[in-house]
Amino acid sequence: MPLGGIALATDFAIVIVTATILSYIARKTGQPTIVAYILTGIVIGPVLLEVVTEDELIEVMGELGLGFLLFLLGIEMRFDRIKDILRPIVNISIGQTILQTGAAFAIAFLLGFRGMDVVVIALATVFGATPIIVKLLDEKDELKTLPGRIDVGVLIVQDIYLVIVLALVGAGLEGAAGEILLDVARILGLMAAIGALSYLAYRYVLPTLLSAVADDRNVLFVVGLAWAFLFIFLAESLDLSVEVGAFIAGLSLAQLPYSTELQERMQPVTDFFLVVFFTSIGLQLEAEYLLTYWWQALVASGVLVVGNFLIMFYLIHRENFAPETSFLGSINMIQVSEFSLVVGALAVSEELVEEPILGYLSLMAIVTMTLSTYVILYNGHLYERARPYLERFESPDQRATELEIKEGHALVVGYDPVVRETLPVLQEHFEDVVVVDRSAENVDELRAADVEYHYGDIRHGEIREATDLETAAFVLSMARPASVSRQLVEEAAEDAIVVAAAEHVEDARDLSAEGVDYVVVKSVLAGELLGEYVISFLEDRDRFDADSEAAMARILERAGIGGGEYPNLGDDAIGEGGESR
């Protein structure tokens, strides 16, 4: 191995080991792992130890990390999550973008920044910390609350705005106003072209392609990677950023039933590259740059935390949401996010600003993300403290405190011939029926059925959350192995009826002991039914013949043959009473 290769491998190993140690400490102390990754770069980079100096590692892996981050954000952007409150979310997002950009611009200007520095700072400090907000709200089971949905909706709109900002910064913001407008028009036009291609692929190419490979999880993962790199190549060919292509690639996959499975598969790869990407930000910093504007960064952090809260509270309350919703939805969004570092690092690489501006943005992000972690964890306690002061904002015509969540529905895991026959019965008795299945062969049939359908493995937390397992009234699991059914019965409501299949009598005994209300062992049930038919034959031949003909008619009807006729059998092949010779 060449010397450069050894140095690169050594630096890479140092990055991973240090990031692992610091992220472990961060988790133990309740801090965001992203902060730990940035600190990794600060510790092993020029600021402190200066043991990693390979520019090649920083550039290549950082670019890949950013691309995968935007790809994953695209996959997560499912419009059905916010469609119930889409209009107020758009209004809040537009207002938030304008007001917070103006506030960040004014603060930076008052602190002495001028020219392109002010522009980059204002553009970089608008975004919320998507990974931190989503992760913490998910751990607190607050993603499905109305404040959680509002925050997720605003973050999705911010992601679109981020892609535009990254494209603009990547193209360079310097020049006359007319030139910048032409750049904006060109970038939006090219993005629209790639978006149109992505939409056509979503409608006519991806469903067939993914259906053909979905049964093999490894191939599905490789196809997802290839799809991301294809759009990255298209974006770079059109002089757009890697981030634009990656985001649009993810967006085209997001609305398909395979998106959750792809997201689960892509997450470890994305996490891996993100370690390197955020570490690379710390590696680019030097002590003098990080601390050049230290007091300005602390002042701006304090002002923006308060300002972001007030802006979001005003915008959410203006959409006629209750004070509790306005308070919780606002206090979750007070931080300067990791994307400020993304924008800042890109602006430095494009030579729009100097390294001290990236140090300023980094210090703000570290301070506000650390603070917001505790704020989100204890947002309920903070609301109780503020509740007496919020009563003045209450009115009788405000929107409901919570969005409607599926409750009292039926959840079916696994779609096989038994479930196919049982599904109409469930649809008659339950207003909502949700089906989860991991066979690509059933996708088209289930999408055409009048049920909510999710492709993937029920063991994935994202899918269990989407099915509202905890509020289901009836759970039918035909999944193997038995450990899947055990997990379902553990997380289902205590009063839910749980029916599960087992391959062996031993599994049936264990599932029954663990709380499953009825265990289906197909071989046993088939044997019992056959025994009933034999008894019927021995005791009442006429009844047996009638039952047999009725059963065959139902089978033929299910098969779409109809007419009650036996296919491929002549009249002489059927004896009197339907007895086959």
Side-chain angles (χ1 to χ4, degrees), residues 16 26 32 50 88 99 104 108 131 142 159 164 225 231 239 251 287 295 314 353 361 429 440 452 462 491 534 555:
I16 298 302
E50 201 171 357
L99 294 177
E142 292 182 9
D159 292 341
I164 297 173
L225 282 178
F231 275 79
D239 292 327
L251 194 62
W295 71 265
Y314 163 72
V353 297
L361 293 172
H429 289 81
E452 180 181 327
E462 183 81 13
E491 297 186 17
V534 170
I555 293 172

Side-chain angles (χ1 to χ4, degrees), residues 232-428:
I232 287 173
F233 170 76
L234 288 175
E236 287 195 320
S237 300
L238 296 173
D239 292 327
L240 294 173
S241 66
V242 167
E243 299 79 38
V244 171
F247 181 79
I248 294 177
L251 194 62
S252 63
L253 297 170
Q255 318 310 319
L256 295 171
Y258 312 98
S259 62
T260 305
E261 185 70 24
L262 269 172
Q263 180 183 337
E264 293 281 349
R265 291 275 167 175
M266 296 297 300
Q267 188 71 57
V269 178
T270 304
D271 290 343
F272 174 75
F273 281 113
L274 283 182
V275 171
V276 182
F277 170 68
F278 287 111
T279 299
S280 72
I281 292 174
L283 288 171
Q284 294 178 61
L285 299 175
E286 296 185 14
E288 58 179 312
Y289 297 146
L290 186 64
L291 301 176
T292 299
Y293 299 115
W294 69 269
W295 71 265
Q296 291 94 332
L298 294 179
V299 171
S301 297
V303 175
L304 282 177
V305 163
V306 176
N308 290 350
F309 170 79
L310 294 176
I311 288 170
M312 283 294 292
F313 185 91
Y314 163 72
L315 292 171
I316 297 174
H317 179 69
R318 190 182 64 171
E319 293 298 323
N320 206 30
F321 289 104
E324 180 180 2
T325 299
S326 302
F327 181 90
L328 294 176
S330 304
I331 206 166
N332 296 335
M333 301 277 286
I334 61 173
Q335 66 288 113
V336 173
S337 85
E338 72 282 358
F339 291 124
S340 66
L341 310 182
V342 174
V343 176
L346 185 58
V348 169
S349 67
E350 294 293 328
E351 299 182 351
L352 296 174
V353 297
E354 300 295 331
E355 283 86 351
I357 298 301
L358 179 58
Y360 169 83
L361 293 172
S362 300
L363 194 55
M364 287 180 62
I366 292 172
V367 170
T368 59
M369 285 194 296
T370 303
L371 174 64
S372 70
T373 299
Y374 293 104
V375 168
I376 295 174
L377 287 174
Y378 298 103
N379 56 10
H381 298 285
L382 293 172
Y383 169 72
E384 291 301 325
R385 294 287 185 89
R387 188 173 184 175
Y389 306 99
L390 297 174
E391 293 177 353
R392 69 186 68 181
F393 297 103
E394 293 180 355
S395 65
D397 59 340
Q398 288 173 330
R399 299 174 189 264
T401 304
E402 299 292 337
L403 283 175
E404 182 179 352
I405 297 176
K406 287 188 296 295
E407 195 169 357
H409 60 288
L411 171 60
V412 179
V413 180
Y415 189 73
D416 61 10
V418 173
V419 173
R420 183 178 288 109
E421 301 302 317
T422 308
L423 200 56
V425 178
L426 294 177
Q427 289 176 300
E428 288 180 6

